[in-house]
Every structure is written in structure tokens, then in C-alpha cells.
Amino acid sequence: MRTRLAHSTEALAGRLRVGELGSLPVLVSLAAIWLIFAGLDEAFLSPRNLSNLSIDVVGTGLIAVGVVFVLLLGEIDLSVASVSGLSAAVFAVLNVHHGMPEAPAVALAVALGTAIGFFQGFVFTKVGVPAFVVTLAGLLGWNGLMLYILGATGTVNLDDDGLVAQLTDYYFSYVAVAYGVAAVGVAGYFLAAVADARRRRSAGVPARSTREIAVRTAALAAVAFATAAVLNRFQGLPLALLVFLVLLVVLDQVLRRTRYGRTVFALGGRLEAARRAGISVDRVRISVFMVSGTMAALGGLFLASRVTSASQSSGGGNLLMNAIAAAVIGGTSLFGGRGTVWSALFGVLVIQSIASGVALLGIRGAVQFMITGGVLLLAVVIDSLSRRAQKAHGRV
């Protein structure tokens, strides 16, 4: 037992030395933030606050997922917040002012985000305009279009009992639902991990041991069932959180298990090598911006659902910075080629936890910005040091 423990510890230390930190920094940061705020105000870890936190992360988190896809190429999308606001405004105007049923209005709003992503990706890829400039223009232009669509009133209130409003207001109150989702998630992870290890061994490449898979599964089970227990102590599993987690699982499989996902990682920082390997670089680059636009539109609908309205402030404030910061804080590299969609979840949890703790303590919002800025800087520093360590060991 001692020998195995020493071997595992040595393997972990080896990964840290070469810069393979994974999600460790953000998880440590999240644990520290929760411990600090829980010590300052016991209400922070109350079922009500944690349930509200699980809903608050969804809108920004969905937008951050799209940002992750773009960052994997080493590019940036500065228009996501404006796209989210525009999509929410389009849905609200179509549904409330023109009487269109919610389902087609939602479909058109999301399709608009996808179309915007295609347009911006096309200009970036085919015309050669830097992504920073294209999306900065989009930040301004789509925000202006949103203001034009909303008109003189500036605010459109949604139906409180409608489909979109219920996205963040509906809870699965049956206790079995939350525990069932936790059980399915843990079982799915275990089976996928075992299958992946078996596939890697048959291919003659390093794979996780059965012991490591068991330990990871146990840790996930502890977190999943504890989360289910806390949510059930309030109103149950929120629909918004369930939708977010399902999308994360699906997109994670797309990135890690499909040829398209492997191509996205291959393009990050190695554009010319990917082109020489016969990869359709232009198509992939455009598609990544389409994913970003689609996720921005979905995030905008969830944010509109949270306040049951679309207004001139939709997509404004610090939404853009939070979405980008969430992706980076969660572990997605600004240099491209490294990150996962779970980065968005971990990063937005850090940001929203800070916001929630500051609000509970009655501290000025300026402190929230300073803390978030410090965490973001620390994440970028760790990313830079990690990349330097990987270069030194010939892994980049």
C-alpha cells in the first residue's frame, strides 16, 4: 500500500513539475474561496444560497463554454456578450410584441447567434481580419442592433409562466430526481473511464489504472451526491443546472471523443502544421465561432429568464469580462491547445462564488472586481508558468 501511495505521489509530482496542472489550481482556489466566505458568513453554504448559485452560473457559464472553443484556437471572441443580449431581445420582441410561440422564437434567436458566429468566423478566416478586430466590431454593432430592436421602451417583460421564464424558475422537487441524476452521472463517468482505459491499453499507450479510476469515481460520487443532498434541502434540482450539465457532457464528448474535437485541439498554436496534415483549417475555424455564437445566444436566453425580461442592459455590464475570465480561470490556456468545457463550469463557479460572498457580506461591488481581477491574474500567471515548464520539457 505504501509503495503504491509513494508511486502515485511521485507521478503527481512529476506531472506538476512539467506543467500538467489540469484543474488543480482552480479547484484549490474554489475551495479556499468557499472556506473563507463560509467562515465570514455561515449563510454562504446554506442550501438556499448554493441553490441560487447553481442557477446563477448557468447563463454566464454557457457563454464561457463558447469562449473556451475559441480560446482553444488561440483566438478571442469579444462579441459574445452583445450576441447574448441581441438574441434575448430578438426572442422577447418576436414572442411578446409579435405573438410568435416561444419554441420557434427560441429557435430563431439561437439560429441568429449561430449565423452571427458564421459571419464573424468567415470574415476572420476568409478575409483575414484579426479575430480581435472582427469581434470588437461585433461587440459594438450587435449591441447597437439590440438597442434598435428593443425600441423606445427599452425593456420587454417575458411571460412569468412561459417556457423561457421557467428555464431558471423550475425545480424538480422529487428527491429521487437529484439523486438519480447524480447516480447516472457517476455511473456514466465510471463506464466511460473504464472503456477509455481499455481502449488505450489495447493501443499500447499509457492509461489510467483501475485504482485511479476507482478513486476518481469515488471523489465524483462524493461531490455529486453531496450536491444532490444540498439541493434537495431547498427546492430540488434546478432545471437550469440540469440543462447546463447535460450540455457540458455532450460538448465534452464532442471535444475529446470526435475527430472534430481533436482537430480543434490540433489547430491550437499549430496552425501551419495542421494545414500541412490535410486538416480543413478554414472550416474548423469558422465552425468554432459558430459554436461561440450559438452558446452566447443560449446563455442570453438563460440570463433573460433569470430576470424575466430583455432590456437595454442585456449583455452589458461585466458579462463579457466574466465569460472570458471564467474560461481562463477554469484552466483554458490563452495560448491555445489546452482546456476543456469543464473549465467554464469551474471558472464561473469561482466568479459567482465571489459575487455571492461579497453580496452576503454587504461589501461594496468594487471589492468583487478587485478579487476577481486578482484571481484572473493568478490564473494567467499559472498558465504562463505551466507553458514555460512544458516547453522546457519538450511538451509544447
Side-chain angles (χ1 to χ4, degrees):
M1 177 66 71
R2 184 175 300 176
T3 302
R4 290 178 177 176
L5 179 60
H7 178 72
S8 299
T9 303
E10 183 180 349
L12 176 61
R15 288 198 296 267
L16 295 180
R17 280 195 301 270
V18 300
E20 295 181 0
L21 303 179
S23 300
L24 182 61
V26 67
L27 292 178
V28 171
S29 299
L30 184 61
I33 290 169
W34 280 31
L35 288 174
I36 291 172
F37 281 122
L40 295 174
D41 190 334
E42 60 182 13
F44 180 81
L45 293 181
S46 67
R48 174 186 290 272
N49 190 60
L50 292 180
S51 180
N52 288 333
L53 179 62
S54 73
I55 299 175
D56 290 337
V57 302
V58 175
T60 305
L62 288 170
I63 299 173
V65 169
V67 173
V68 167
F69 273 76
V70 178
L71 288 179
L72 286 174
L73 295 188
E75 302 295 343
I76 191 69
D77 187 348
L78 299 177
S79 70
V80 287
S82 294
V83 173
S84 73
L86 174 60
S87 297
V90 167
F91 165 79
V93 170
L94 289 176
N95 176 242
V96 177
H97 288 177
H98 298 285
M100 179 180 289
E102 285 193 272
V106 166
L108 287 175
V110 174
L112 175 63
T114 306
I116 289 174
F118 173 81
F119 170 74
Q120 294 183 155
F122 182 88
V123 174
F124 161 62
T125 302
K126 298 296 186 180
V127 181
V129 180
F132 177 88
V133 177
V134 175
T135 57
L136 178 61
L139 181 153
L140 301 172
W142 308 131
N143 184 66
L145 181 57
M146 179 194 73
L147 298 178
Y148 178 82
I149 290 175
L150 288 173
T153 59
T155 301
V156 180
N157 294 318
L158 306 180
D159 179 8
D160 290 339
D161 298 320
L163 171 66
V164 170
Q166 290 298 305
L167 287 175
T168 56
D169 197 43
Y170 184 83
Y171 296 80
F172 295 97
S173 57
Y174 291 105
V175 173
V177 175
Y179 287 121
V181 170
V184 170
V186 172
Y189 171 81
F190 176 75
L191 294 175
V194 170
D196 181 64
R198 184 180 297 117
R199 185 166 49 248
R200 292 177 68 88
R201 289 193 192 99
S202 64
V205 296
R208 291 194 178 106
S209 66
T210 303
R211 174 181 292 274
E212 183 178 358
I213 292 174
V215 170
R216 286 172 173 262
T217 303
L220 176 61
V223 173
F225 283 99
T227 301
V230 170
L231 294 176
N232 280 331
R233 288 178 59 191
F234 183 56
Q235 291 182 322
L237 176 67
L239 172 62
L241 178 60
L242 178 60
V243 172
F244 187 30
L245 292 176
V246 169
L247 284 173
L248 285 176
V249 170
V250 171
L251 292 176
D252 178 62
Q253 292 299 307
V254 169
L255 274 181
R256 294 195 303 113
R257 306 292 184 189
T258 67
R259 181 179 180 182
Y260 170 77
R262 291 189 291 270
T263 301
V264 171
F265 280 107
L267 289 182
R270 297 176 292 274
L271 181 61
E272 191 57 36
R275 182 177 282 113
R276 291 176 180 176
I279 295 176
S280 180
V281 172
D282 290 354
R283 185 179 302 172
V284 174
R285 295 171 96 186
I286 292 174
S287 70
V288 163
F289 280 90
M290 291 174 68
V291 171
S292 181
T294 302
M295 298 308 296
L298 287 172
L301 292 174
F302 275 86
L303 290 172
S305 171
R306 195 65 169 136
V307 295
T308 62
S309 68
S311 67
Q312 294 180 345
S313 63
S314 296
N318 57 346
L319 178 59
L320 173 62
M321 291 298 101
N322 281 348
I324 296 176
V328 176
I329 290 173
T332 302
S333 175
L334 286 170
F335 303 101
R338 189 172 74 250
T340 71
V341 296
W342 297 101
S343 303
L345 172 61
F346 298 143
V348 77
L349 265 175
V350 168
I351 291 174
Q352 289 299 139
S353 295
I354 294 172
S356 177
V358 167
L360 283 174
L361 296 174
I363 302 175
R364 293 168 52 192
V367 176
Q368 174 189 340
F369 294 136
M370 289 187 285
I371 296 175
T372 304
V375 174
L376 175 60
L377 177 60
L378 178 62
V380 175
V381 169
I382 292 174
D383 180 33
S384 298
L385 294 177
S386 173
R387 185 175 177 83
R388 183 182 302 174
Q390 288 182 329
K391 281 186 175 180
H393 290 80
R395 300 201 174 200
V396 176

